[in-house]
Amino acid sequence: MTVPGIDLPRLTAWMANHVPEAGEPLSVSLISGGRSNLTYLVEGRDRRVVLRRPPLGHVLPTAHDMRREWRVISALAPTPVPVPEPVAFCADEDVIGAPFYLMGYVEGAAVRTREELGEPAPEQARRLSERLAEVLAAIHAVDHREVGLEGFGRPDGYLARQLDRWCQQWERSKTADRPEYDRLVARLRERLPAASAGTLVHGDYRLDNTLVRLAPEPDILAVVDWEMSTLGDPLADLGLTLTYWQDPGDEERAAIPVAGDVTLAPGFLTAAEFAAHYAKVSGHDIEDLGFYVAFGNFKLAVIVEGIHARFRQGKTVGEGFEEIGSAVPVLIARAHRMLESA
């Protein structure tokens, strides 16, 4: 059996020494990956585990840091934040060609579309979306010092650094000059909050970065994909979550091909209801939420411009990338409108 990114004989030997309770790996299969970290299901003789490793090929030294992901799920394991069980970490690149870690298998589903969600009763969809807000609040309520995440990031100046980072990314990948982008950056810089609460932030929080169940009670079983986590402004997490959110009747948002339509399921909270529930359970003041949603649209515009640039260079795989560049000016315009409404 040959699986890209896995040296099965070496992995088998390493697991025998470090994870004997799993038993000999009987099969390894890719669950997801390609643009980001790779995730594999390892069927051991005695238990299932999941392996996470960086993407194949060259990556930047600070990107796709497996030790960082391992550190955060290990810190969160005893907290109310649901994460997969941390099983073992391997820094030895000779085993499979890169550092990796193993975590427990979670019997849940990552859902991005209404089709993947199925046809839950409206009250199930509502409760699932409430739980999504409650788990985000639980992440932001973690005392990072108490759980061993001191120094995991620098909360002071977080948004200013984020703005600079994504501006640099834009300059590396832009396919055209856009005056409205330049004006947006200037407006965001003028509106940056002077200070904010410093909490653990996920960095890419949305339903398809969790594992969920609907029965017997709708719940979030685990939050996954912690590669962008750090210490920062909690409302930046909320703003990005709402950037991906699609409300009924928002045809402009429906035409942006970067997120699924799961939030259109009958019973799902609207974006405004989700924000209100988060504010209720977290205690955070969301009066300036419009700025954070504008910032989320800015960030997503930069990401989409990068995808568009790779498509033009012939470096994307699959279909559906032909029109993605048209979403960039739409996201920039939405960001401007959010600043004006705020």
Side-chain angles (χ1 to χ4, degrees):
M1 176 182 61
T2 301
V3 180
I6 299 293
D7 185 319
L8 187 56
R10 287 180 178 270
L11 177 63
T12 299
W14 185 86
M15 287 182 63
N17 289 325
H18 296 87
V19 199
E21 68 275 12
E24 179 185 357
L26 301 178
S27 67
V28 181
S29 56
L30 183 67
I31 298 174
S32 66
R35 295 181 186 171
S36 186
N37 294 329
L38 304 179
T39 307
Y40 303 83
L41 174 61
V42 181
E43 293 274 7
R45 189 176 299 280
D46 299 313
R47 70 172 292 193
R48 293 173 167 180
V49 292
V50 172
L51 184 150
R52 287 270 284 176
R53 60 150 292 162
L56 306 180
H58 174 72
V59 297
L60 295 174
T62 57
H64 310 286
D65 187 344
M66 293 296 96
R67 189 180 294 277
R68 188 175 186 82
E69 281 199 21
W70 168 258
R71 182 181 174 188
V72 74
I73 68 165
S74 298
L76 293 176
T79 74
V81 179
V83 292
E85 173 199 356
V87 175
F89 176 80
C90 177
D92 186 356
E93 297 187 17
D94 289 338
V95 178
I96 65 169
F100 67 92
Y101 69 90
L102 299 177
M103 56 186 175
Y105 177 78
V106 177
E107 291 279 359
V111 294
R112 186 170 179 269
T113 67
R114 291 181 62 180
E115 182 179 7
E116 291 169 342
L117 184 64
E119 297 184 2
E123 57 269 23
Q124 289 179 304
R126 182 175 185 85
R127 184 59 191 141
L128 181 62
S129 49
E130 288 175 343
R131 283 295 296 145
L132 190 67
E134 291 161 10
V135 170
L136 182 60
I139 292 171
H140 297 157
V142 168
D143 186 329
H144 59 274
R145 298 176 185 85
E146 185 175 303
V147 300
L149 292 177
E150 181 78 38
F152 192 65
R154 292 179 294 153
D156 292 341
Y158 167 76
L159 281 172
R161 289 193 305 274
Q162 282 282 298
L163 184 59
D164 289 341
R165 172 188 173 185
W166 289 104
C167 284
Q168 292 166 9
Q169 182 66 29
W170 175 271
E171 292 302 320
R172 285 193 291 265
S173 59
K174 71 176 182 179
T175 60
D177 289 329
R178 297 187 185 274
E180 283 302 293
Y181 165 83
D182 297 328
R183 190 168 73 90
L184 174 60
V185 170
R187 294 183 75 186
L188 290 171
R189 202 172 295 280
E190 290 173 0
R191 286 280 306 278
L192 283 173
S196 64
T199 72
L200 178 66
V201 293
H202 181 274
D204 195 20
Y205 189 80
R206 56 185 194 267
L207 191 63
D208 56 324
N209 275 340
T210 71
L211 300 174
V212 310
R213 73 173 182 206
L214 289 176
E217 180 72 19
D219 204 1
I220 307 293
L221 300 183
V223 181
V224 294
D225 291 358
W226 290 89
E227 61 188 283
M228 297 180 72
S229 60
T230 187
L231 302 182
D233 190 327
L235 294 189
D237 260 353
L238 178 61
L240 187 62
T241 302
L242 296 177
T243 296
Y244 283 101
W245 210 272
Q246 186 178 154
D247 278 343
D250 188 349
E251 299 304 322
E252 182 183 67
R253 183 65 191 81
I256 300 174
V258 290
D261 61 355
V262 66
T263 58
L264 295 178
F268 233 82
L269 297 178
T270 65
E273 290 171 335
F274 181 87
H277 191 63
Y278 168 85
K280 176 183 176 181
V281 297
S282 71
H284 285 293
D285 182 353
I286 63 169
E287 183 178 357
D288 200 22
L289 182 58
F291 168 84
Y292 291 93
V293 178
F295 200 96
N297 277 274
F298 154 75
K299 178 178 174 180
L300 189 54
V302 176
I303 292 170
V304 172
E305 180 73 356
I307 297 171
H308 177 54
R310 291 194 294 275
F311 167 74
R312 288 177 48 146
Q313 296 163 5
K315 295 181 179 179
T316 53
V317 179
E319 300 178 353
F321 293 101
E322 296 84 358
E323 303 298 327
I324 198 167
S326 63
V328 175
V330 177
L331 287 162
I332 292 172
R334 287 172 74 89
H336 277 294
R337 290 203 303 273
M338 290 307 304
L339 288 175
E340 288 153 9
S341 66

